[in-house]
Amino acid sequence: MIGYLSSAVAQLSDPKLRRVLWIALLGAVFVFAALWAIVWWLVGFFDPSAVWGLSWLAERFGETFDWFAGIAIGLTLVLVTFLMFPAVMTILMGFLLEDVAGAVEQRHYPAAGAARPQPMSEIVLSTVKFAAVAILLNILVLPLYLVLFILPGANLVLYYLLNGYLLGREYYELVAFRRLPPGQATQLRRRYRSRVLVAGMIVAVLMTVPVVNLVAPILGAAFMVHVTHDLLRRLPSV
C-alpha cells in the first residue's frame, strides 16, 4: 500500500486532480460555514438556557453563563467539524471521482478500458446512503468520544477505526462501482474487508495531518483507485 500511496502523491500535480481538489475544498468550506451560521442563528433565536432546562443557572450567573455557553457551543461546533470533515469531503468527492479515477487509470491502468456506465440514480443513491451512514455513526459514537476522553489516545483510535471503515468503504465503492455491478463489488469488498479498512485508516490519518489534510481527500481517492484495482485483479478467487 505504501507503493500505491507514493503513486498517488506523485500524481498530485495532474491538473485534473487539482481541479477536483479545489471544487471539493470550496464545497466543504461552504457546507461548514452554512452549518455554523445556522447553529448561531438558532442560538440567537432560541434561549439555550431554556432549551437545556438551565434557566436557573442563567438567572444566577447572568453574563458568565452566556459566556460559558458560547464557549461550549463553539467547541462543540469545532469538534463536529473535525469529526465530520472526512465524511463531507468524501460525499463531495462522490460527484467528482470520475475525473480522479479517469486520470489515475489513464496513467497507470490503460489496459482496463472504459469504465462501466453508471446511471445517475446509482451514483446519487450510493452517495446518499454513505452520507446517512456516516452521520448516523458519528452521532452514535459522539458520547463514546466523551467517555474515552479520560483515556489518552483512545479517542484517536476510535476516530481512525470509525473513519477508516467509512472512508475505506466509500472510496472503494466509488471506484469499484465504475467497474463492477454493485452486488459483485460489495461481495469483493466483504471478502477483503481488512485491506479496505487499513486503506481507509491510512486516508483517515492523512486527513488529520496539518497541511496534508488539505490534499488528503483527493490523495485518498487516487490512492484508493490503486487499492481497488489491486482487489479487482483478485476477482477470479471471489
Side-chain angles (χ1 to χ4, degrees):
M1 287 194 182
I2 298 301
Y4 294 150
L5 185 59
S6 298
S7 296
V9 172
Q11 198 169 350
L12 283 178
S13 59
D14 191 316
K16 293 181 180 178
L17 270 61
R18 291 204 305 268
R19 172 180 171 274
V20 173
L21 172 63
W22 281 112
I23 293 175
L25 279 175
L26 291 175
V29 169
F30 174 80
V31 168
F32 285 114
L35 172 65
W36 281 57
I38 291 172
V39 170
W40 284 114
W41 177 81
L42 289 174
V43 169
F45 189 79
F46 298 99
D47 182 2
S49 61
V51 174
W52 299 336
L54 300 176
S55 299
W56 61 278
L57 277 177
E59 293 175 359
R60 181 172 181 179
F61 295 101
E63 292 183 2
T64 302
F65 173 84
D66 293 338
W67 187 71
F68 276 107
I71 292 177
I73 293 171
L75 290 176
T76 301
L77 283 173
V78 170
L79 177 61
V80 170
T81 300
F82 174 77
L83 295 177
M84 294 300 296
F85 181 81
V88 171
M89 289 295 294
T90 303
I91 292 169
L92 295 173
M93 288 291 296
F95 297 98
L96 303 167
L97 185 74
E98 187 67 29
D99 289 344
V100 177
V104 175
E105 289 177 345
Q106 183 178 5
R107 176 178 295 189
H108 297 279
Y109 308 99
R116 179 180 72 91
Q118 284 184 273
M120 180 55 66
S121 59
E122 181 180 295
I123 297 175
V124 172
L125 179 62
S126 175
T127 303
V128 170
K129 180 180 177 181
F130 168 75
V133 172
I135 293 172
L136 178 61
L137 287 180
N138 275 282
I139 290 175
L140 289 177
V141 302
L142 189 57
L144 190 55
Y145 277 118
L146 298 177
V147 172
L148 293 178
F149 187 76
I150 61 175
L151 300 176
N155 274 339
L156 207 55
V157 172
L158 176 60
Y159 174 85
Y160 287 137
L161 283 174
L162 175 61
N163 285 282
Y165 166 76
L166 290 171
L167 292 170
R169 174 176 173 172
E170 179 63 6
Y171 275 127
Y172 162 81
E173 289 184 349
L174 289 173
V175 178
F177 285 3
R178 300 173 70 252
R179 296 291 171 181
L180 299 172
Q184 192 175 4
T186 299
Q187 182 184 7
L188 183 64
R189 175 181 61 80
R190 289 174 177 170
R191 184 176 181 88
Y192 297 103
R193 58 172 61 90
S194 60
R195 293 181 65 85
V196 175
L197 174 62
V198 171
M201 290 178 69
I202 291 175
V203 177
V205 169
L206 293 174
M207 288 188 173
T208 59
V209 178
V211 181
V212 175
N213 61 357
L214 296 177
V215 298
I218 194 169
L219 180 60
F223 166 64
M224 284 301 296
V225 172
H226 292 291
V227 173
T228 302
H229 272 273
D230 176 63
L231 297 183
L232 290 173
R233 287 197 292 265
R234 305 164 187 250
L235 270 175
S237 64
V238 176

